Amino acid sequence: MNAPASDGEVLRVVSWNIEHNGIPIGGQPDRRARARAVLAAHRPHIVLRQEVRGPKGTFESALTELETEAAALGLEIAVLAPGTDESPNATAVLVDPELFEVEHRYVHTTGMWHPIANPVVRLRGTSKPLGLASAHLCSWDPAWREREAQRLLVLADKGRSALIGMDGNSYPHTAMERHRLPDWRMVADTAHARRFTIWEGGR
């Protein structure tokens, strides 16, 4: 993969989720080094991360993994929001310290399945703050995901600016997507279909 050309007018932002942080769980190969190489090839200024975890499933081991990733990318950790007792998969935000100053570091838990990592940063030499957020929405209830989306909208309320990246646990459904939604009536796994759809009438 070729790295993008350098351009002082371009801000490279990546929202990134690699299952279980690439840790070899359930017989999968260790994918951490390859994932970091893919990220590094894009030379991001902001990385909005989901499923950050360590091999021990603790906050400390997730922090160690994220520190390794940040160092490999030349970025700093702006916020690591912890996982939960239900899921050790945390959210995090990394930023380029040469471009951004971190003014505030927030973790939001209200109404969320996974806490939101939400630093407020300022581009060096400017005065307007920018809220960054990494979120990981609920995988088991579309109504809950809708509430979580409402919660995220607060970050851009009252004239605030926000840049949000997430694992939305939802199928693509816009004209820009390359893949079409499945015909849910033909999906044999009805439990899966219920977790990922909202039905209105027969639609």
Side-chain angles (χ1 to χ4, degrees), residues 33 44 48 103 108 140 147 153 164 169 193:
L48 308 168
E103 293 189 340
H108 305 288
W140 42 266
R147 286 190 296 271
L153 290 176
I164 302 169
N169 268 314

Side-chain angles (χ1 to χ4, degrees), residues 104-119:
H104 303 286
R105 303 171 195 269
Y106 299 116
V107 172
H108 305 288
T109 59
T110 303
M112 302 301 295
W113 180 45
H114 290 289
I116 306 167
N118 171 220

Side-chain angles (χ1 to χ4, degrees), residues 11-14 45-50 76-79 81 91-96 99-108 116-123 128-135 152 155-156 160-166:
L11 181 67
R12 291 181 293 275
V13 181
V14 175
H45 300 112
I46 298 171
V47 178
L48 308 168
R49 286 284 274 112
Q50 302 87 43
E76 74 172 24
I77 300 170
V79 173
T91 58
V93 177
L94 307 175
V95 296
D96 183 338
L99 286 181
F100 296 101
E101 290 183 86
V102 180
E103 293 189 340
H104 303 286
R105 303 171 195 269
Y106 299 116
V107 172
H108 305 288
I116 306 167
N118 171 220
V120 176
V121 302
R122 187 170 48 78
L123 191 63
K128 182 157 177 68
L130 171 65
L132 302 175
S134 177
L152 283 163
L155 301 179
R160 293 186 293 257
S161 296
L163 178 63
I164 302 169
M166 72 181 89

